[in-house]
Amino acid sequence: MKKLFFVSVLLTIAFAAQAQLKIAPKMEKGTVKTYVNTVTTSIPMQGDVTVTSETNYSVVDATADGYLIDAETINVKVDADADNITGKLLAATEELQKGTVIHLSTDKDGKPVRVLNADELKKIIEQNANALIDKLMADIPQLAESAPKDVLKNQMLSSFTEETILRGLEESPLALNGKSIITGAQEEYVTKDGLKMKRMYFVNGQNIIANSTLNMDKDEMKALIIKQIEERAPEQAEMVKENIDQILSSGMLKIDMKQKDTYDLQADGWIKSMTTEATTETMGQKIEVKGTLTMK
């Protein structure tokens, strides 16, 4: 009996060792990887919005601590119905990224740790946002009535801080860099929208699956909502603070989110392809997102 137990322990250890995978892509100066990312968002009563973007990831140099990588969005295309207001707003935000170059500093494993040109990007995005919002309000008169220009501008700019850019890279080819992943391992992370999530990994050779669920209590959700209102619509912040408990208890802002990411790695450690399926439920509405990221 003891021998059987000992053999079982050895088999368990061997299986765990085989399932563990360290992600550290091969990087050298001059390496360029191009990816096409297609994301379709299904919005209740408004139909689908599909955004297709193409991005170059270039290894510019090696440093004492890691690497310098440029992420340049070279093309963005948005497919949405002409009368889809949400689609037009999403398209406008995506268009802001076209032609921008994000200068990243990474560690030895290629994990992004800094956005070196965050201040410069903010100025460029702010200039582009003014012209873009003016056009949106001319095309959609009801938008000007429901959302002041400053509110829309703050919403757009909130996606381009150093913090949100680094969080957004969780959906990029650099997402797994620096991780030592084993089947059954769990970790917490925060999305670019500020949602706190928990995910569990499953490893099968060069294939990795990550299942994520929302991991926020009432107080954390309350703090997130207030923070977002303060950043995007400060004139409404006091009203929201005074009524936040009533709003949450009514279920009006109840949020639930689930996501499944599937990664296929190349022999050199770079992501060959990635698929994403996510479902978000809020205020009784379900929003579904399906994405495919492929190396060109």
Side-chain angles (χ1 to χ4, degrees):
M1 190 69 169
K2 289 183 178 179
K3 180 184 282 188
L4 179 60
F5 175 76
F6 182 68
V7 171
S8 298
V9 170
L10 287 179
L11 287 173
T12 301
I13 293 173
F15 175 77
Q18 288 177 353
Q20 186 169 345
L21 192 61
K22 174 64 182 287
I23 314 299
K26 182 180 178 181
M27 292 192 180
E28 53 187 28
K29 183 177 179 179
T31 297
V32 179
K33 303 287 186 179
T34 301
Y35 289 86
V36 176
N37 190 25
T38 300
V39 179
T40 298
T41 304
S42 298
I43 305 171
M45 308 298 292
Q46 295 193 48
D48 295 349
V49 178
T50 299
V51 178
T52 303
S53 59
E54 188 172 337
T55 305
N56 288 335
Y57 293 84
S58 307
V59 182
V60 177
D61 206 353
T63 67
D65 301 316
Y67 301 91
L68 299 179
I69 294 179
D70 280 357
E72 180 181 10
T73 302
I74 57 177
N75 191 27
V76 177
K77 179 183 177 182
V78 181
D79 182 12
D81 292 339
D83 57 351
N84 189 324
I85 296 178
T86 303
K88 286 188 175 182
L89 288 171
L90 181 60
T93 303
E94 295 295 332
E95 283 289 341
L96 287 175
Q97 300 182 58
K98 187 176 180 179
T100 60
V101 181
I102 302 173
H103 301 310
L104 298 169
S105 173
T106 80
D107 65 12
K108 290 287 187 181
D109 296 323
K111 176 185 176 181
V113 293
R114 285 288 314 280
V115 179
L116 301 177
N117 62 332
D119 291 340
E120 176 189 342
L121 279 173
K122 185 177 179 180
K123 291 178 182 178
I124 294 173
I125 296 301
E126 188 168 7
Q127 291 173 357
N128 294 341
N130 285 324
L132 205 54
I133 292 172
D134 287 341
K135 184 177 185 304
L136 274 174
M137 289 189 164
D139 293 343
I140 313 171
Q142 60 267 43
L143 186 61
E145 299 172 3
S146 60
K149 182 175 180 178
D150 286 345
V151 172
L152 287 175
K153 184 176 176 181
N154 288 338
Q155 288 178 347
M156 290 182 177
L157 293 180
S158 66
S159 299
F160 295 97
T161 66
E162 180 173 17
E163 182 181 24
T164 53
I165 290 172
L166 288 175
R167 287 178 180 174
L169 292 173
E170 289 281 350
E171 306 294 334
S172 80
L174 310 178
L176 299 179
N177 292 1
K179 298 182 185 294
S180 293
I181 302 174
I182 187 170
T183 293
Q186 298 184 53
E187 68 177 6
E188 293 183 349
Y189 69 101
V190 180
T191 71
K192 62 183 178 181
D193 297 316
L195 295 175
K196 185 175 150 190
M197 306 285 288
K198 177 184 282 187
R199 62 183 158 209
M200 178 181 287
Y201 289 103
F202 299 89
V203 180
N204 182 16
Q206 296 294 98
N207 177 267
I208 299 170
I209 294 175
N211 291 325
S212 303
T213 55
L214 190 68
N215 186 38
M216 299 180 73
D217 60 28
K218 183 178 179 179
D219 287 338
E220 289 171 329
M221 188 63 70
K222 184 191 301 186
L224 174 63
I225 292 170
I226 292 174
K227 181 175 182 289
Q228 290 186 338
I229 292 295
E230 287 176 336
E231 291 176 351
R232 301 178 183 185
E235 70 281 356
Q236 299 179 24
E238 284 305 316
M239 181 192 70
V240 172
K241 287 179 182 179
E242 291 174 3
N243 296 281
I244 187 67
D245 289 317
Q246 181 180 351
I247 294 171
L248 287 176
S249 61
S250 70
M252 291 174 59
L253 287 179
K254 183 180 179 181
I255 298 175
D256 191 22
M257 183 175 178
K258 296 178 181 178
Q259 182 165 319
K260 178 181 179 181
D261 298 304
T262 302
Y263 309 85
D264 284 307
L265 304 180
Q266 295 188 145
D268 62 2
W270 283 86
I271 290 176
K272 181 179 180 180
S273 65
M274 168 186 169
T275 59
T276 297
E277 297 179 8
T279 301
T280 303
E281 293 187 46
T282 179
M283 295 194 301
Q285 291 188 326
K286 180 185 290 186
I287 298 175
E288 297 181 340
V289 176
K290 293 184 179 181
T292 303
L293 178 77
T294 308
M295 183 182 289
K296 193 172 180 180

